[in-house]
Amino acid sequence: MNGDESWFDNDINYSRKGTGVFHPNLGHLEKEDKECNPISLDSVLPDVLQEKFLASLPIACVVKACCVCKKWNGMVHSKKFVLDDADVLSHNPWYFMFTGSDEPVGFVYDSILQKWYGFEFPLIIKDTWIAAPSCGLVCFMDEESSSELHVCNPITRDYKKLEAPLDPIFSVYSALAFSVDRESDDYTVAVVRSRQPSDYNQQWEASIHVYNSQTMIWVPPVVGSLEGWRAGNVSVICDGILYFLVYSTRVGEIRNSHGLLSYNLNKPPSSGELMDTFISAPCALTCGRLMNLNNELVMVGGVGRQDRPGIIRGIRVWVLKGRDWEEVSRMPPRFFQGFGELDDVFAGTGAGDLIYIQSYGATVLAVFDIKLNQWTWSQKCPMSKRSALQLFSGFCFEPRLGVSP
């Protein structure tokens, strides 16, 4: 693996919206085309075969092919290529790893080529932001205020700022969920806000705000009371249903301090019915991460010790079947120990058949293929830890050309 490989270099202008990882300055390429060997690819292959050739490459190679010549750059950017050929490109998710910085840079891991590349997002990703990916787009929200929302395509670098839902009451916790319809590319954004309406610790309130890109409006929020539970910052949309984790406020009274609530986006329940959808966690968890894998709700959880539930002793993967959790896999001990000193919380994200798990304190990345039931390590990330207190995070996204916010 060559750690120096990168999408960005001094020739690419990243301040220009929509230029993506593609070369925005192609004047010198045209000149080079005329000065190079007179044997032209056009005389060997017709355009339709050249397009098929480009479409057969992994997405990382397609991006690099844009810098070969002006013609290939135009082919990849053409509407015909995006509509006809982009769907055959792999939708295996990439993993973007970053650390706290004022620059939107990090490294992206391609699980097919098993390579890391330097990568720059069109937006500065702050430590307080939540990322929610779906079908080639990523939605970001400022967790502290939930007042700043963006949707972007990391590959084409197109992005859009959304108006935040109106909510004059301060929320203590906020969760973000995001879902893109792969056929129409319309998307839904859901924000779950949690607050205490009074000083009574057991009484919490959750408000659910939903935005649709077709109507471009936020529908009136649904507000529900959560007795003995509060919402947090973990949620996901799966097959038209919003799921979000809730946490017990009755410390020491119950063993399972995590639970799950659901909200049907197509047939929303009344505010008083939120707790009727409650599903308990499969066991005592230190943390839980929800994800949509091929329209199935998957949870990756840190399993707590029996004597001290807040201390992590392993990581497991479950799939929700009806109202029951079905265990899919347990992280092998050598992988769990390979993280070194793992905190009770960790980064977990997934799409397609892949789940990525990362410790916040290191750049080690584990990959689980739920279809093959196989655990692997990624190649070593070129990003290095420069201080004991330095933290890392990340999320996955599908590289797609033919979708825009």
Side-chain angles (χ1 to χ4, degrees):
M1 180 194 70
N2 182 3
D4 295 331
E5 291 188 78
S6 173
W7 295 130
F8 48 86
D9 54 47
N10 295 331
D11 294 329
I12 300 181
N13 175 16
Y14 285 99
S15 63
R16 175 181 159 194
K17 176 183 173 183
T19 57
V21 294
F22 309 124
H23 210 302
N25 247 335
L26 293 170
H28 73 283
L29 289 180
E30 186 176 25
K31 181 179 179 182
E32 290 176 2
D33 288 345
K34 295 177 180 178
E35 295 176 353
C36 67
N37 195 308
I39 298 178
S40 171
L41 192 62
D42 294 340
S43 63
V44 181
L45 291 177
D47 289 356
V48 65
L49 290 183
Q50 292 184 50
E51 290 176 353
K52 293 299 181 184
F53 164 72
L54 291 172
S56 68
L57 297 174
I59 186 70
C61 297
V62 173
V63 172
K64 288 188 173 184
C66 292
C67 299
V68 172
C69 63
K70 185 176 181 180
K71 182 172 184 177
W72 280 10
N73 184 280
M75 281 184 174
V76 172
H77 281 85
S78 70
K79 186 175 181 180
K80 182 178 183 301
F81 182 87
V82 168
L83 294 179
D84 296 345
D85 298 326
D87 284 339
V88 304
L89 299 172
S90 170
H91 292 155
N92 262 29
W94 290 355
Y95 188 83
F96 178 68
M97 186 181 298
F98 64 98
T99 186
S101 171
D102 292 333
E103 298 293 331
V105 295
F107 287 87
V108 70
Y109 181 68
D110 182 348
S111 62
I112 295 180
L113 300 180
Q114 297 185 346
K115 287 186 177 182
W116 289 92
Y117 300 96
F119 196 85
E120 183 169 353
F121 257 77
L123 302 167
I124 296 177
I125 304 172
K126 304 175 184 177
D127 295 336
T128 58
W129 282 16
I130 304 174
S134 178
C135 298
L137 296 180
V138 184
C139 185
F140 295 98
M141 181 183 74
D142 185 350
E143 183 182 1
E144 289 186 342
S145 64
S146 65
S147 61
E148 189 172 354
L149 283 157
H150 299 268
V151 178
C152 80
N153 182 326
I155 297 298
T156 64
R157 293 179 58 82
D158 287 331
Y159 64 90
K160 178 181 181 181
K161 183 175 181 178
L162 303 181
E163 293 295 327
L166 296 176
D167 190 358
I169 304 176
F170 173 75
S171 58
V172 181
Y173 299 97
S174 298
L176 171 69
F178 182 62
S179 178
V180 178
D181 185 297
R182 194 178 289 276
E183 293 184 1
S184 66
D185 291 337
D186 295 327
Y187 54 83
T188 300
V189 181
V191 176
V192 182
R193 290 172 169 171
S194 184
R195 66 175 73 85
Q196 280 183 291
S198 66
D199 293 333
Y200 178 47
N201 187 50
Q202 303 296 325
Q203 186 71 41
W204 282 76
E205 197 174 72
S207 59
I208 299 175
H209 311 255
V210 180
Y211 172 90
N212 186 277
S213 64
Q214 251 187 331
T215 60
M216 295 189 294
I217 61 171
W218 293 89
V219 299
V222 171
V223 181
S225 178
L226 307 179
E227 180 72 28
W229 298 85
R230 66 160 179 83
N233 60 358
V234 178
S235 65
V236 72
I237 296 174
C238 184
D239 200 21
I241 298 177
L242 168 67
Y243 296 93
F244 57 98
L245 289 183
V246 291
Y247 308 84
S248 174
T249 58
R250 296 167 291 186
V251 180
E253 295 183 26
I254 61 174
R255 187 168 178 272
N256 262 13
S257 59
H258 288 68
L260 181 75
L261 293 182
S262 61
Y263 176 89
N264 193 323
L265 296 171
N266 299 316
K267 300 166 71 173
S270 65
S271 58
E273 297 175 338
L274 275 180
M275 285 305 297
D276 294 342
T277 66
F278 179 83
I279 299 174
S280 181
C283 63
L285 300 178
T286 62
C287 72
R289 300 290 179 253
L290 301 177
M291 54 202 74
N292 179 352
L293 299 189
N294 299 316
N295 280 332
E296 284 194 308
L297 179 66
V298 176
M299 179 168 69
V300 178
V303 180
R305 287 169 44 178
Q306 291 184 350
D307 56 335
R308 300 177 66 185
I311 305 298
I312 189 171
R313 64 181 178 89
I315 295 176
R316 299 181 190 177
V317 181
W318 296 270
V319 175
L320 186 65
K321 299 291 186 179
R323 294 183 60 84
D324 299 317
W325 292 104
E326 180 181 295
E327 184 174 308
V328 174
S329 180
R330 301 186 180 191
M331 177 179 283
R334 64 185 180 89
F335 280 86
F336 181 73
Q337 295 163 5
F339 283 107
E341 188 175 343
L342 188 66
D343 293 331
D344 57 345
V345 295
F346 51 83
T349 179
D353 296 321
L354 299 185
I355 296 174
Y356 293 97
I357 299 174
Q358 178 195 353
S359 166
Y360 289 121
T363 60
V364 179
L365 181 66
V367 186
F368 176 63
D369 189 316
I370 196 169
K371 186 176 182 180
L372 301 177
N373 195 20
Q374 182 179 54
W375 292 88
T376 58
W377 291 112
S378 74
Q379 296 293 323
K380 184 179 179 181
C381 180
M383 186 178 294
S384 58
K385 190 176 179 73
R386 299 181 178 179
S387 68
L389 299 179
Q390 186 176 9
L391 298 178
F392 303 88
S393 189
F395 53 87
C396 71
F397 65 90
E398 295 179 39
R400 289 184 66 200
L401 299 172
V403 58
S404 63

